[in-house]
Amino acid sequence: MTRFLKSHEYARIEGNKAYIGISEYAARQLGVVTYVDMPDLGEEFDAGDDFGAIESRKAASDLFTPVSGEVMEINETLEEDPTLINKDPMANWIICIEMSDPSELDSLMDEAAYAAFCESLH
């Protein structure tokens, strides 16, 4: 299951873990990603908190967490090659959070709602 924020972050849910990254739409808008600023392991965030930033040749954007919880993993391969996000943003998540309140997922957009939202931006 994958859920989305209007700011174009996704949470791909596996059990009680949420793998968080940016959507394909966001990756296309940013262009070539040059840097990803990630939090430290063990940091805790509330849903909607700024957890880092992503930079491209075109722009820099804050990253927001769709759900509350503790950072359990960071995708260290992005430190070496941030362009992996451009190649497959859904596979190249940025952080993994252990969710403290899975009911927060109910307030996020599913894939169909997110696709309709993206269409409305054109």
Side-chain angles (χ1 to χ4, degrees):
M1 172 175 65
T2 304
R3 295 288 184 258
F4 296 86
L5 284 174
K6 286 186 176 180
S7 53
H8 305 289
E9 290 84 5
Y10 67 79
R12 189 179 75 238
I13 308 308
E14 294 180 14
N16 201 43
K17 290 183 175 180
Y19 290 87
I20 299 168
I22 65 167
S23 69
E24 290 183 35
Y25 180 91
R28 280 196 310 275
Q29 296 301 310
L30 279 171
V32 178
V33 175
T34 56
Y35 177 73
V36 182
D37 178 35
M38 294 179 266
D40 294 325
L41 292 176
E43 280 193 62
E44 293 190 22
F45 295 96
D46 290 328
D49 282 355
D50 171 338
F51 73 83
I54 189 164
E55 296 176 13
S56 71
R57 293 181 186 155
K58 286 194 215 174
S61 297
D62 288 334
L63 294 166
F64 300 95
T65 179
V67 292
S68 302
E70 180 181 346
V71 177
M72 304 306 286
E73 297 176 62
I74 59 170
N75 189 344
E76 294 176 5
T77 59
L78 297 177
E79 293 174 340
E80 309 269 323
D81 186 4
T83 65
L84 289 170
I85 289 176
N86 297 109
K87 294 173 184 143
D88 189 347
M90 299 305 286
N92 290 289
W93 50 273
I94 298 168
I95 63 171
C96 175
I97 283 183
E98 184 169 343
M99 294 183 288
S100 57
D101 183 2
S103 71
E104 291 171 337
L105 296 169
D106 298 339
S107 66
L108 303 173
M109 290 181 280
D110 64 16
E111 291 185 46
Y114 180 70
F117 170 72
C118 291
E119 281 295 312
S120 75
L121 299 176
H122 296 289

